[in-house]
Amino acid sequence: MASGSDGQNSETLNFDDPMQRPRYTGLASFFRLPYDENFEADPPDIGVIGIPYDMGVTNRPGPRHGPREVRNQSSLMRRINQATGASPFEAAIVKDIGDAWIKRPFDGVESAHGEIQAHFERVKAAGIVPLTCGGDHSISLPILRALAKDGPVGMIHIDAHCDTGDDYMGSRFHHGAPFKIAVDEGLLDPTRVAQIGIRGSLYDPSMWQFSFDSGMRVMMIEEVEDKGWKTCIEEAMAFVGDGPVYVSFDIDSLDPSIAPGTGTPEAGGLTMREAAGMVRALAGMDIIGADMVEVSPPYDPGGVTALNGATIMFELLCVMAKAKRAA
Ligand code: MN
Ligand code: MN
């Protein structure tokens, strides 16, 4: 694969140009991008990162296998977004900067989160905007600890669940609570957080009470159905307003018929047209980082969940690269 300052635009024969090497050939990096774990030497504008970690799940496991499978499916992505005309690999230098893999996976979730945070502190120090592929949703917390160190940020959060729970079986660091902890730690400004697509059954009526009490804007799936996704994302963006924003996309926001490969599926979810449309609408926001999480390949016959996850990551990349050029 080509590497160096000319990155994916190299004239040399390389895997990221499907006109030279077909998309199904070679090793699968994210979007067939140059793979560079030593990203500090020649940092890209945007770094695509995998976090193969899933010790934060509360039900079906498997998202530790997400990054490899999403890399594979992302090799199908072409260069230009047909809907918007965005050409992210021209608008910004983008690389696959490898995985934030956990060196001591059996030291517990909090230790793993410490390792992830340290990795993202390196990424931030190198001036790279991260686009992350999980991993379970607990990984958003250490990412925010690294990115929002200088003050709380806003968030567009698309998910079937608010993930603002608390102690569960003796720990807060599972995938159902990262955004309560992030508010508690001053990483998220809850009055600039919009959560979209929420649905499913509850343990008790107050399961997501923290979202409401802290002032987050919670949009149930019924609101998306009633108002339509365009109105919902416009309202969400107006709520979040100007200023730095993190984007977190849980693949279980999609309907299980198109995203069966995930740990806590909830019936009656978003379509890909709705989800992709909402991500495209984010163009122009000050996006400091984004993630797509919870793809679990062992529950993903045919790879459709990983394909949809890769597609959402491409849509995210398109709006992030556009913002990069404008900066
Ligand atoms: Mn979820
Ligand atoms: Mn989630």
Side-chain angles (χ1 to χ4, degrees):
M1 273 179 279
S3 62
S5 60
D6 54 351
Q8 63 271 22
N9 299 318
S10 168
E11 294 296 318
T12 58
L13 186 67
N14 61 57
F15 283 103
D16 54 272
D17 184 351
M19 296 300 113
Q20 298 183 37
R21 299 279 186 104
R23 291 175 293 157
Y24 49 83
T25 62
L27 299 173
S29 62
F30 286 115
F31 311 114
R32 299 185 310 283
L33 286 164
Y35 186 86
D36 183 7
E37 289 188 351
N38 300 311
F39 50 82
E40 277 117 336
D42 185 15
D45 299 321
I46 299 170
V48 192
I49 307 176
I51 305 184
Y53 181 76
D54 63 8
M55 299 293 269
V57 298
T58 56
N59 202 329
R60 310 193 309 198
R64 71 179 62 181
H65 303 289
R68 180 173 283 181
E69 217 35 56
V70 172
R71 278 189 174 96
N72 186 29
Q73 293 294 334
S74 77
S75 69
L76 290 168
M77 298 297 120
R78 302 180 185 84
R79 305 184 69 81
I80 298 166
N81 189 318
Q82 186 161 196
T84 65
S87 183
F89 308 112
E90 287 181 316
I93 302 295
V94 190
K95 288 180 180 175
D96 182 333
I97 58 173
D99 287 338
W101 54 278
I102 310 304
K103 298 181 180 69
R104 297 183 65 83
F106 304 114
D107 276 0
V109 174
E110 290 169 72
S111 167
H113 285 176
E115 290 193 44
I116 293 167
Q117 179 183 345
H119 188 85
F120 278 78
E121 282 168 355
R122 274 180 59 203
V123 171
K124 183 172 191 269
I128 299 169
V129 176
L131 171 59
T132 305
C133 177
D136 72 65
H137 219 157
S138 75
I139 58 135
S140 297
L141 175 63
I143 295 172
L144 285 168
R145 281 176 176 158
L147 299 187
K149 215 158 211 167
D150 305 327
V153 299
M155 181 170 69
I156 297 282
H157 174 207
I158 302 176
D159 198 325
H161 314 94
C162 289
D163 293 350
T164 49
D166 204 335
D167 185 280
Y168 179 64
M169 305 182 87
S171 174
R172 310 170 70 208
F173 299 101
H174 52 86
H175 69 165
F179 302 126
K180 178 181 189 298
I181 303 170
V183 171
D184 289 347
E185 294 185 2
L187 308 171
L188 283 176
D189 175 355
T191 66
R192 293 189 58 228
V193 171
Q195 307 185 295
I196 308 169
I198 311 303
R199 63 187 189 276
S201 53
L202 299 168
Y203 287 125
D204 63 73
S206 63
M207 192 165 149
W208 305 132
Q209 196 58 42
F210 182 83
S211 288
F212 299 96
D213 291 348
S214 64
M216 295 181 184
R217 176 73 168 88
V218 181
M219 294 185 179
M220 301 293 177
I221 197 73
E222 292 79 11
E223 186 172 352
V224 180
E225 174 73 10
D226 290 345
K227 292 182 175 173
W229 64 266
K230 282 184 187 173
T231 302
C232 283
I233 197 65
E234 280 167 14
E235 284 187 23
M237 291 167 66
F239 186 81
V240 171
D242 297 332
V245 61
Y246 189 76
V247 183
S248 193
F249 189 100
D250 188 325
I251 202 72
D252 70 28
S253 61
L254 300 179
D255 192 81
S257 61
I258 56 166
T262 195
T264 47
E266 306 287 353
L270 298 171
T271 67
M272 268 302 286
R273 285 199 291 266
E274 292 169 327
M278 287 197 280
V279 173
R280 284 173 198 151
L282 304 179
M285 294 196 96
D286 179 14
I287 299 172
I288 61 161
D291 62 47
M292 188 288 299
V293 298
E294 298 278 355
V295 170
S296 177
Y299 294 93
D300 191 25
V304 63
T305 313
L307 173 64
N308 285 330
T311 304
I312 288 296
M313 287 181 70
F314 182 72
E315 296 288 352
L316 285 165
L317 186 59
C318 288
V319 293
M320 292 165 78
K322 197 171 174 182
K324 203 70 207 173
R325 178 185 257 176

